[in-house]
Amino acid sequence: MSDWMVTQSSPAGRRPRALSPLREHLRDTFWFAPTAAMVGVFVVWVGAEALDTAIVDALQRDRDYETLGELLRFAEDAKAVVSAVGSAMMTFIGVVFSISLVAVQMASGQFTPRVVRLFVRSRITKATFAVFLATFVLTLLVLTSFDTVDDPRTVTTVPLVQSVLTLCMVGLSLLLFVLYVNATLRLMRISHVIARIASESFRVPASMPVPGGGREAVPVGGQEAPGHGTETGWVPHEGRAGVLRDVHIARLVRVARKHGVVLRLIPRIGDFVVPGMPVLAVHGGPVPPRRALRYAISVGVERTYHQDLGFGLRQLADIALRALSPAINDPTTAVQALDRVVQFLAALSRRPLDAALHRDRAGAVRLVQPVPDWTELVDLGFTEVRGCAVGSPQVCRRMLAGLDDLLLLAPPERREPLLRHRELLRQAVGLAAPTASDRDFALRPDRQGIG
């Protein structure tokens, strides 16, 4: 069976949403959420202050000075509470996020530096930081609203609503703090980190529609694309150097249909591109104008899960390699990573791979996008881990069990790389094991490694 993948538009004609550089930038930074929260709390404070002023004006018009006197006494008590909250909140923020930085440093050193992305993009972390800072800013604003006048007849405002709002923000801060601690502790546990990586990885094949329609086999690395015409030119990369994170599929398909050509993406998602490097080959017609292809290629400083089929396997392999290093020596973590590697490969064992063919509404192929083939994915998941697993019977046994399970699931034409890794592992263990009994023990498949 040839390795191919056909991606057609959904019945509604919608394409997978392109990766927004602005949205990704905001998700990878910590400044936007706190800034938005502080601006929002300032707007809310202005409204609360106006409401407090309206309440005082209404009571003075009604000459209800007794109620105003009670509100002034309440304001004195509320001022002490707001002052205590304001002085404690900034210290609380410093302590909490100092602990967070230590947790991130430990996770990057023990697992892999790429898991820091999970901490940076954590919504609960940003929400907690934003609410903490907003609460601190609100206390400062409320303190400026307290009137020094004690006479109910001349007082201009009593921060009643503002004080209640401050107490609500304090309650929300405490609730988010509990959720934040729980989320941070989960991210420090390797099993949850590995599960998070696996769930993010499964979104890539899940976003690819089930193959259907034509079944052309496209050699993505050649100069010819059968059925799509001879290569007539290519489009260079004109942006900054970086990792290819995403292509705007819908825009490229529209451009190719408008100019009657087929576009072929040359680098794969996750490849590093530099200015002047060919990124798109044109088949069957003239090269479209550069302005038509503007913003169709997204380049960043690091890989993302979006459209990148191998990024999850790369992280799982990194975690297993770090766990098997002499400095850490944690084979159980490597076994947990192999569990997810086997799970991911099992899900792709019967999926067509190698190239995605994106069609226009008329059914004509307009964009050829390369994706890793089955052999590349198997090598990515097992090669480096196999080289470091020889000294750990637990990992050897788990890897053999995983390869055996994949041999049962994969079709006959996909068994060669699995058999190759199985045989290479047996040879390496045979050379490294000091005795026959050790060799037999290490080569006994076990899904738990060693029980």
Side-chain angles (χ1 to χ4, degrees), residues 217-232 264 281-284 368:
V218 182
V220 298
Q223 297 298 315
E224 300 287 337
H228 308 314
T230 305
E231 181 178 317
T232 56
R264 175 171 57 86
V282 182
H283 294 262
V368 180

Side-chain angles (χ1 to χ4, degrees), residues 84-135:
V85 171
S87 61
M89 185 58 67
M90 207 62 196
T91 303
F92 191 53
I93 293 173
V95 171
V96 169
F97 285 92
S98 296
I99 297 174
S100 299
L101 294 177
V102 173
V104 170
Q105 185 177 9
M106 291 177 59
S108 64
Q110 184 176 359
F111 307 149
T112 171
R114 276 151 290 282
V115 302
V116 176
R117 187 174 183 270
L118 300 179
F119 288 84
V120 173
R121 296 167 70 91
S122 173
R123 290 187 176 92
I124 186 64
T125 301
K126 294 179 180 179
T128 305
F129 192 33
V131 171
F132 282 5
L133 286 179
T135 303

Side-chain angles (χ1 to χ4, degrees), residues 99-348:
I99 297 174
S100 299
L101 294 177
V102 173
V104 170
Q105 185 177 9
M106 291 177 59
S108 64
Q110 184 176 359
F111 307 149
T112 171
R114 276 151 290 282
V115 302
V116 176
R117 187 174 183 270
L118 300 179
F119 288 84
V120 173
R121 296 167 70 91
S122 173
R123 290 187 176 92
I124 186 64
T125 301
K126 294 179 180 179
T128 305
F129 192 33
V131 171
F132 282 5
L133 286 179
T135 303
F136 175 71
V137 171
L138 179 61
T139 58
L140 299 181
L141 295 173
V142 173
L143 287 174
T144 63
S145 300
F146 285 95
D147 204 328
T148 57
V149 178
D150 296 332
D151 188 357
R153 293 175 176 81
T154 58
V155 69
T156 57
T157 182
V158 178
L160 173 64
V161 178
Q162 300 172 62
S163 299
V164 173
L165 179 62
T166 302
L167 294 178
C168 292
M169 290 293 292
V170 171
L172 179 60
S173 299
L174 294 176
L175 175 62
L176 284 176
F177 173 67
V178 174
L179 298 176
Y180 164 76
V181 171
N182 179 68
T184 302
L185 291 177
R186 285 173 62 90
L187 286 177
M188 291 181 65
R189 297 166 60 185
I190 185 60
S191 57
H192 290 285
V193 172
I194 291 176
R196 177 73 177 274
I197 293 173
S199 64
E200 294 281 355
S201 301
F202 275 109
R203 293 181 183 179
V204 183
S207 66
M208 299 177 180
V210 178
R215 300 191 175 188
E216 306 93 337
V218 182
V220 298
Q223 297 298 315
E224 300 287 337
H228 308 314
T230 305
E231 181 178 317
T232 56
W234 49 268
V235 179
H237 174 56
E238 295 182 339
R240 60 176 180 173
V243 176
L244 179 60
R245 302 190 304 176
D246 168 79
V247 293
H248 198 313
I249 295 174
R251 179 173 297 169
L252 291 176
V253 169
R254 286 196 303 267
V255 171
R257 178 174 57 86
K258 179 179 179 181
H259 294 86
V261 298
V262 176
L263 298 176
R264 175 171 57 86
L265 186 65
I266 298 175
R268 281 206 311 239
I269 302 297
D271 288 354
F272 191 86
V273 296
V274 298
M277 174 181 175
V279 290
L280 287 170
V282 182
H283 294 262
V287 177
R290 301 286 177 83
R291 64 178 181 276
L293 300 174
R294 188 177 301 171
Y295 306 122
I297 305 294
S298 176
V299 173
V301 297
E302 63 179 352
R303 297 169 67 175
T304 68
Y305 292 100
H306 191 72
Q307 297 186 3
D308 196 338
L309 194 60
F311 186 46
L313 283 178
R314 177 68 274 163
Q315 291 190 81
L316 292 173
D318 287 345
I319 292 175
L321 289 172
R322 184 69 62 91
L324 292 174
S325 66
I328 296 178
N329 194 22
D330 183 13
T332 302
T333 295
V335 167
Q336 290 179 303
L338 284 175
D339 290 340
R340 299 297 182 172
V341 170
V342 173
Q343 178 192 7
F344 187 72
L345 292 176
L348 297 177

